[in-house]
Amino acid sequence: MLSLDGDWKFRLLAGDPHAPGSSAVLPVGEAADAVADPDFDDSAWDTLPVPAHWVLHGHGAPIYTNVQMPFPIDPPHVPDDNPTGDYRRTFTLPEWPDSAGVVRFAGVEAPFAGWGDGARVGTGGGSRLAHEYDVTALVRPGENLIVVRVNQWSAASYVEDQDQWWLPGIFRSVTLQARPAGGVDDVWLRASYDDGGGVLGTELPGGTFPVTLRVPELGIDVTWSSTGEVAPVEIDDVEPWSAEVPRLYEVTVANAVETIELRIGFRTVEIRGDRFLVNGRQVTFHGVNRHETHPDRGRGFDEDFAREDLMQMKRFNVNAIRTSHYPPHPSLLDLADELGFWVVLECDLETHAFEKRGIAHEEWRGNPSDDPDWREAYLERIERTVERDKNHPSIILWSLGNESGSGANLAAMSAWVHERDPGRPVHYEGDYTGAYTEVYSRMYSSIAETRAIGRDDDRSLLLGCSAAESARQRSKPFLLCEYVHAMGNGPGAIDQYEGLVDEYPRLHGGFVWEWRDHGLRTRTPEGVEYYAYGGDFGEIVHDANFVMDGMVLSDGTATPGLHEWKHVVSPVRIRFHGDEIMVENKRHTADAGDLEFRWTVTHDGHLGNSGVLEDIGHLDAGSIARVPRPDTTIQGETWLTVEAVLRAEAPWAPAGHVIVAEQLELAAAPAVSWPRSGPAVEGVTQGRVTALAGLPVSGPRAELWRAPTDNDEGGSALHEGGFGSYDLADPWSNRGLGALAPSSADLWRHAGLDRLSARVAEILPAGRRVVHAAADSKQALLSHERWSRDGDALVLRVDLVPTGDWRMHWPRIGIRFQLPGSVDHAEWFGTGERESYPDSRRSALVGRYAADVDDLVVDYARPQESGHRTELRELTIFEDGSPWLRIETAPDAQGRRPGFTLRRHTAEQVAAAAHPHELPASDAVYLWLDAAQNGLGSRACGPDVWPDHILRPEARSLVVRFDPLR
């Protein structure tokens, strides 16, 4: 095999020379296909690496759309403005064996035509599918020429409308293969497992016999003389493959002229009633949707990058991948086989632009999925998908595609898969009624609807279903192919969904949307690097930062949301019951022998005693162990923490890597007693502090506004199938969609929370009363601020009271201080180490933490609320590298402590910036002490904040002590 990757000659045309309206795209006098002539002069052309996307190398620009199409919807036609790339490459063969020649394109976006030494080789379509062409008559020893013309737009674009960047070009490898006459052209090894034994079935559709099958580890060495002799091989003792124990066996299939090497895993996929089983045990998917995306290469594959990507998934307890929304590079599946993932392999199909939401009579109007003219194109796509990837044990579900409505063509695809591969079920979320799939799948079903699907005694109608169809869907395994939309700061409510999965066996988990942001590394004219999203390349239509919706940022940084996910879905659960610790192994296959359970006790955040829990043993999958809680002394605020960590190095993590950690409060902090009031306090002028510990400080300022998160900006579109407000509706009704309402951010802006003005109503001897309200508003927030002295420290008491008819919810309620810009570091006793919010704080543990100010917030692709840490006890602020000020808090009457945020920009500045680099230079640091914050939810593309975590207007109090350290 000869790789044809490398530098090719390249030019970009404005249109397809064969299109009726594109006659002027070529130089004067050049014929439409003259580019294929071996004597064609390409000396003035640029060079372009293959594989690559031409728009990432200075030719044109990327385009991001989700549901919109970047050209008129007029299938199968495309506009004359159709960027077209011409590629040419010569290569030298010292010799050519007496065998067939095949040129293989692993991935080309989009349709293309190819020539070899001036002769037409063929055309191709299906951007994420492989294409092979017989070039036996064209290749020869010496110099050879290959020419490829790629159109960005074609009829195929209508069925490749996935939520991602449009990135044209030859983006996967090109190879020339010498195929021996009578070689092994195809083989399918079906390795099933049953109670310790296995069966290896072999399909050899062609080639020259005899053929020998060898599996050295299993002692298999069998030769077949003809197709009729090929038969299954039974093995008495074999180790099964699973996502947790990915046992692979090396196999060779050989005849006289060729040897094929494969890796197989023995596993059996089946559905029994409403249970999805592998090797007889139910599978729970703790999965992610994974696009192929790289900040520099786009969808270009990099094996080291992909391996690290999957190892990071393993470190965060991800056990499954949905290949959204196309087959990935085949090497990605090799990695999934090796490292261990349950894979839902999706066909390269999406027609989302045909869904004209909100116009009932036009819903999916003209959709190719039900058009007979598109039937063969649909069938070809699924056939090529299955045939390419059928030997991978990690693939346990075939998916027909995504967001393509429903119709006869999808049903035909399903029928073909069922006939071709009865060993794997078929998935397609758009089959709401379950007419042609055997698993029930939904995206973004609410907590209420997900619960209704899981309950045996629920008879409510499901989305798009009659009563009979609802009953049929409830008889199947259910999975959420997309849920908890991970855009920006969020998502919230991961634990609520996982709680339902634990409670109702019919629910088999799901796949977060999505794994990684799709940001493209870009620079401003001044050279400042940032990650670009929709609209940053001058697109006519685009969907802005909706492409930045991953639990991993574009640079590979794990978000706090991913840490929350890791904790909630852990395959090992630790619980405290009385004087016992309960450890439950919820894994599918593996016992807990690879884990050590360590415990520590802290007193006021300082380490006390520690040890290792004994008597856990290997703890088989599905088993529970109960052990006594360690004896410990009580001293101040006392916490017990138990961690499950790896005993030894794994292929994806070092020894000591934490799988999950849980805490139990053994003793609360003793009550504090600080002076409640006093005479005028030095450093406080007209109720406002002007200096602390010798440095200028301004505050407090009452705040209700936060820089909206992407979920805060998520609008209501119930008529479009979206989610509304839970603040205005019963979340258990109407399938939990909420009530039609503006986004939270729009509601807050309309109420003027981002532009509150202050009126000092009264100056007190050591404090003041302030009224905060917006223009043209009768609603207000009263702030009663009182200062007192406690030795060298100052104590601030703030009562925040809403007045008027606040018929809305708030983003936050708290106070803000402006600190010197030289503040650079913080150490705190509270929850950490990452940000946490009311509906995303299960992974936030109480302890002592430290971070530089610039590391306290997350650089989300679009700046937004970030950095809040709940349940603050004590905060030490450093200035110019040394301790400057200690802040302590007291719980309110209900035992609630404030959270804190430190960042270099105000909420207003953050909200005004579209990218992190657009934040202005700052000469200050701002400290927020929040009595409460609103939850995060998932409303950017999912449910609103659950009512338990919605911040309704209410009176709150803060008590804070400022102790100078200089």
Side-chain angles (χ1 to χ4, degrees):
M1 181 174 71
L2 175 68
S3 171
L4 298 181
D5 293 350
D7 287 339
W8 292 46
K9 302 294 285 186
F10 178 82
R11 73 173 176 185
L12 183 64
L13 303 175
D16 183 349
H18 288 282
S22 298
S23 58
V25 301
L26 290 172
V28 175
E30 182 179 325
D33 291 340
V35 66
D37 191 322
D39 295 327
F40 182 87
D41 182 8
D42 60 15
S43 60
W45 288 17
D46 293 333
T47 59
L48 181 73
V50 170
H53 304 282
W54 70 63
V55 293
L56 300 184
H57 288 265
H59 302 278
I63 299 171
Y64 168 61
T65 62
N66 175 21
V67 180
Q68 304 180 82
M69 287 296 282
F71 55 80
I73 301 175
D74 181 25
H77 308 293
V78 296
D80 293 338
D81 293 333
N82 185 2
T84 296
D86 283 341
Y87 294 77
R88 287 171 55 91
R89 168 170 180 159
T90 58
F91 58 94
T92 301
L93 293 175
E95 60 180 356
W96 183 254
D98 184 18
S99 59
V102 173
V103 63
R104 188 175 198 273
F105 297 87
V108 182
E109 182 177 329
F112 66 96
W115 295 266
D117 283 334
R120 184 70 167 255
V121 171
T123 60
S127 295
R128 270 66 71 175
L129 300 168
H131 309 75
E132 292 184 347
Y133 302 95
D134 187 345
V135 293
T136 306
L138 302 178
V139 293
R140 62 184 185 276
E143 187 173 272
N144 291 260
L145 170 70
I146 182 171
V147 179
V148 181
R149 171 169 284 164
V150 182
N151 304 121
Q152 179 158 13
W153 311 123
S154 74
S157 304
Y158 289 103
V159 295
E160 294 179 3
D161 181 29
Q162 292 99 339
D163 176 11
Q164 60 181 338
W165 293 99
W166 298 92
L167 297 173
I170 304 173
F171 72 97
R172 290 182 185 159
S173 291
V174 183
T175 54
L176 177 65
Q177 302 175 16
R179 300 288 303 127
V184 183
D185 290 331
D186 193 14
V187 61
W188 189 358
L189 300 177
R190 309 191 198 200
S192 60
Y193 176 82
D194 183 20
D195 195 24
V199 177
L200 181 57
T202 306
E203 180 181 301
L204 290 163
T208 301
F209 284 82
V211 174
T212 299
L213 170 72
R214 292 188 179 91
V215 188
E217 282 190 86
L218 298 176
I220 296 174
D221 189 337
V222 58
T223 299
W224 298 300
S225 298
S226 66
T227 302
E229 292 184 10
V230 178
V233 178
E234 296 187 2
I235 307 105
D236 293 334
D237 186 12
V238 69
E239 297 176 49
W241 184 97
S242 74
E244 294 167 359
V245 185
R247 180 65 162 95
L248 295 172
Y249 292 89
E250 302 288 339
V251 181
T252 60
V253 179
N255 63 12
V257 296
E258 186 171 24
T259 298
I260 302 296
E261 297 179 350
L262 294 169
R263 296 186 301 179
I264 61 171
F266 288 85
R267 56 104 186 97
T268 296
V269 181
E270 61 180 321
I271 292 176
R272 295 182 199 163
D274 61 358
R275 305 292 195 272
F276 184 96
L277 311 176
V278 174
N279 300 335
R281 293 184 60 85
Q282 179 166 336
V283 171
T284 300
F285 296 95
H286 292 133
V288 296
N289 284 273
R290 182 188 184 274
H291 269 290
E292 292 195 300
T293 182
H294 186 287
D296 304 306
R297 300 169 64 97
R299 280 186 286 282
F301 185 75
D302 180 289
E303 185 160 353
D304 291 339
F305 179 87
R307 179 178 289 275
E308 175 54 35
D309 212 33
L310 268 60
M311 291 198 298
Q312 187 175 22
M313 290 182 190
K314 298 289 283 191
R315 292 193 292 271
F316 282 90
N317 293 332
V318 173
N319 72 357
I321 298 169
R322 178 180 176 225
T323 68
S324 53
H325 298 293
Y326 42 82
H329 191 285
S331 293
L332 191 281
L333 299 172
D334 292 335
L335 293 173
D337 294 342
E338 172 193 330
L339 294 172
F341 289 91
W342 310 117
V343 173
V344 178
L345 197 286
E346 200 143 83
C347 186
D348 189 8
L349 176 66
E350 182 168 338
T351 68
H352 208 165
F354 289 89
E355 183 184 22
K356 292 303 176 186
R357 295 179 174 182
I359 308 175
H361 67 282
E362 286 194 359
E363 187 170 355
W364 293 107
R365 182 177 178 180
N367 185 19
S369 296
D370 205 33
D371 185 339
D373 290 343
W374 292 80
R375 176 186 173 93
E376 291 306 314
Y378 274 55
L379 285 171
E380 182 192 47
R381 284 174 179 264
I382 193 64
E383 290 168 12
R384 290 162 66 190
T385 297
V386 172
E387 297 297 352
R388 192 197 76 166
D389 295 331
K390 60 197 173 191
N391 281 302
H392 289 283
S394 58
I395 299 173
I396 59 173
L397 274 168
W398 297 114
S399 181
L400 304 179
N402 184 68
E403 292 177 323
S404 297
S406 191
N409 296 335
L410 287 157
M413 293 170 73
S414 180
W416 183 89
V417 175
H418 282 116
E419 181 177 359
R420 180 70 177 118
D421 184 15
R424 294 180 177 103
V426 174
H427 166 273
Y428 178 64
E429 186 268 345
D431 181 24
Y432 291 148
T433 66
Y436 47 85
T437 52
E438 60 266 55
V439 296
Y440 183 28
S441 174
R442 287 286 309 285
M443 56 177 67
Y444 308 111
S445 62
S446 67
I447 295 293
E449 187 178 8
T450 305
R451 181 173 178 267
I453 293 168
R455 288 174 61 97
D456 290 332
D457 59 352
D458 197 295
R459 297 293 180 267
S460 60
L461 298 184
L462 301 178
L463 179 66
C465 292
S466 67
E469 290 164 341
S470 297
R472 176 169 65 190
Q473 292 295 64
R474 284 193 175 92
S475 71
K476 301 176 181 179
F478 176 76
L479 64 87
L480 284 155
C481 67
E482 296 179 19
Y483 80 125
V484 291
H485 191 264
M487 186 174 180
N489 189 348
I494 298 171
D495 55 343
Q496 287 183 273
Y497 281 99
E498 186 65 12
L500 294 177
V501 172
D502 288 344
E503 185 174 0
Y504 301 110
R506 180 177 302 132
L507 308 181
H508 288 66
F511 298 80
V512 170
W513 187 266
E514 64 175 301
W515 172 243
R516 181 185 287 268
D517 282 359
H518 297 219
L520 297 175
R521 198 189 314 268
T522 310
R523 291 186 180 274
T524 68
E526 297 74 31
V528 178
E529 183 179 288
Y530 69 101
Y531 292 97
Y533 51 73
D536 287 336
F537 298 100
E539 301 100 309
I540 296 173
V541 296
H542 62 85
D543 286 296
N545 68 317
F546 204 69
V547 77
M548 309 294 248
D549 47 14
M551 293 198 297
V552 174
L553 302 183
S554 300
D555 65 0
T557 299
T559 64
L562 180 55
H563 285 271
E564 178 79 356
W565 158 270
K566 170 189 174 180
H567 180 95
V568 170
V569 306
S570 169
V572 176
R573 307 289 170 89
I574 300 169
R575 300 287 185 265
F576 302 99
H577 294 280
D579 292 332
E580 286 187 327
I581 299 173
M582 184 184 80
V583 177
E584 182 179 7
N585 182 2
K586 294 181 72 69
R587 290 168 163 177
H588 175 272
T589 307
D591 62 34
D594 62 325
L595 302 179
E596 183 174 79
F597 294 87
R598 301 174 181 173
W599 61 268
T600 58
V601 171
T602 57
H603 307 287
D604 295 328
H606 300 290
L607 181 63
N609 50 342
S610 61
V612 175
L613 294 181
E614 306 295 343
D615 303 323
I616 299 294
H618 278 70
L619 193 61
D620 291 338
S623 298
I624 297 174
R626 291 178 172 84
V627 297
R629 206 174 72 202
D631 293 330
T632 186
T633 58
I634 302 299
Q635 181 181 338
E637 184 176 349
T638 304
W639 288 85
L640 168 67
T641 304
V642 179
E643 296 178 326
V645 306
L646 290 179
R647 289 183 184 274
E649 181 180 8
W652 40 269
H657 169 76
V658 178
I659 302 297
V660 69
E662 293 285 357
Q663 282 190 321
L664 174 67
E665 186 178 33
L666 299 177
V672 297
S673 178
W674 297 328
R676 298 190 61 85
S677 62
V681 176
E682 183 182 351
V684 177
T685 302
Q686 293 189 331
R688 288 175 61 85
V689 68
T690 57
L692 286 171
L695 293 176
V697 171
S698 176
R701 164 181 162 162
E703 286 242 304
L704 298 179
W705 174 249
R706 73 182 185 192
T709 67
D710 290 313
N711 290 312
D712 293 338
E713 296 282 11
S716 173
L718 296 186
H719 61 292
E720 297 180 1
F723 285 83
S725 169
Y726 283 164
D727 193 24
L728 306 175
D730 177 2
W732 296 106
S733 65
N734 188 31
R735 300 200 315 273
L737 294 179
L740 185 64
S743 71
S744 291
D746 284 346
L747 185 72
W748 299 337
R749 291 188 187 100
H750 181 74
L753 301 189
D754 59 337
R755 49 183 174 83
L756 296 180
S757 61
R759 176 177 64 84
V760 177
E762 183 180 6
I763 297 293
L764 304 172
R768 62 180 187 165
R769 291 167 54 85
V770 185
V771 180
H772 304 268
D776 196 37
S777 174
K778 294 182 179 180
Q779 290 76 44
L781 177 70
L782 301 184
S783 173
H784 185 189
E785 304 156 9
R786 290 163 291 170
W787 291 89
S788 60
R789 183 167 293 281
D790 184 22
D792 291 334
L794 295 181
V795 176
L796 171 64
R797 298 177 183 272
V798 181
D799 294 319
L800 299 166
V801 181
T803 67
D805 191 10
W806 286 96
R807 296 196 176 187
M808 60 177 295
H809 61 289
W810 287 343
R812 75 179 342 140
I813 178 171
I815 55 176
R816 190 188 86 189
F817 293 87
Q818 181 174 323
L819 310 180
S822 52
V823 165
D824 53 11
H825 186 75
E827 295 181 356
W828 72 98
F829 176 30
T831 62
E833 58 188 82
R834 290 158 293 275
E835 63 189 29
S836 54
Y837 293 82
D839 54 353
S840 182
R841 54 175 295 178
R842 286 275 301 275
S843 64
L845 304 182
V846 174
R848 290 190 176 268
Y849 303 96
D852 290 341
V853 167
D854 293 331
D855 295 330
L856 285 169
V857 297
V858 178
D859 281 334
Y860 295 109
R862 184 187 68 80
Q864 55 197 273
E865 163 63 32
S866 174
H868 177 71
R869 285 158 173 84
T870 55
E871 296 291 322
L872 177 67
R873 281 85 165 154
E874 176 187 308
L875 171 65
T876 299
I877 298 176
F878 286 60
E879 187 270 335
D880 199 20
S882 64
W884 166 57
L885 185 68
R886 179 183 297 114
I887 299 173
E888 298 172 89
T889 72
D892 66 10
Q894 298 183 42
R896 300 171 296 190
R897 293 180 183 271
F900 84 96
T901 305
L902 269 175
R903 69 185 306 172
R904 295 193 180 276
H905 297 92
T906 67
E908 291 78 11
Q909 290 172 323
V910 173
H915 302 84
H917 71 273
E918 295 173 11
L919 290 166
S922 174
D923 58 2
V925 170
Y926 299 90
L927 167 67
W928 285 264
L929 296 170
D930 288 319
Q933 280 232 10
N934 195 53
L936 299 174
S938 195
R939 200 176 167 194
C941 186
D944 193 13
V945 177
W946 191 253
D948 293 358
H949 306 301
I950 292 176
L951 177 55
R952 293 292 301 176
E954 63 177 1
R956 296 295 295 260
S957 297
L958 293 164
V959 181
V960 187
R961 184 177 186 270
F962 299 88
D963 192 8
L965 299 179
R966 295 180 181 173

